[in-house]
Amino acid sequence: AAFKKRRDMVVGRLNEIPGLDCRTPEGAFYVYPSCAGVIGRTTPDGVTIASSEDYATYLLESVGVAVVHGAAFGLDPHFRISYATADSALEAACDRIDKANKALS
């Protein structure tokens, strides 16, 4: 029940962030949101996001959120987030991802 609650919270929060689209997974402890909506956008440092790997690097360097780029799984332009952690950490990560996306032009 706790993991279902976390999954639903993460999926809901990510779907509220412009540029992301996250479907609800059937199992596991991961979600694979699409970042297709941010491909082609530019970071505040002038770097163009061209792939899920670029996006994952941007999230780590700009807001300290570690995700795995989807190219590692043959799922570009998706990325993977584990929801096997505390609710508060997941809320903070979603807040940071939202902040990072709002900074893109």
Side-chain angles (χ1 to χ4, degrees):
F3 283 108
K4 182 181 181 305
K5 177 184 167 209
R6 289 178 186 142
R7 179 200 67 196
D8 293 347
M9 183 273 295
V10 169
V11 168
R13 288 289 310 277
L14 292 175
N15 280 325
E16 293 173 355
I17 299 172
L20 301 184
D21 179 42
C22 187
R23 297 186 182 187
T24 303
E26 296 286 325
F29 303 109
Y30 307 102
V31 294
Y32 288 90
S34 170
C35 60
V38 300
I39 301 298
R41 296 187 62 194
T42 306
T43 70
D45 293 334
V47 176
T48 299
I49 304 290
S51 66
S52 64
E53 187 170 1
D54 292 343
Y55 185 64
T57 300
Y58 170 62
L59 291 180
L60 183 61
E61 292 177 352
S62 68
V63 293
V65 173
V67 301
V68 180
H69 60 87
F73 307 99
L75 295 173
D76 204 31
H78 293 76
F79 60 100
R80 184 176 86 171
I81 297 177
S82 170
Y83 55 86
T85 190
D87 293 5
S88 59
L90 294 169
E91 288 279 356
C94 290
D95 289 344
R96 291 177 181 188
I97 292 170
D98 188 34
K99 177 182 176 182
N101 277 27
K102 287 179 179 172
L104 295 171
S105 57

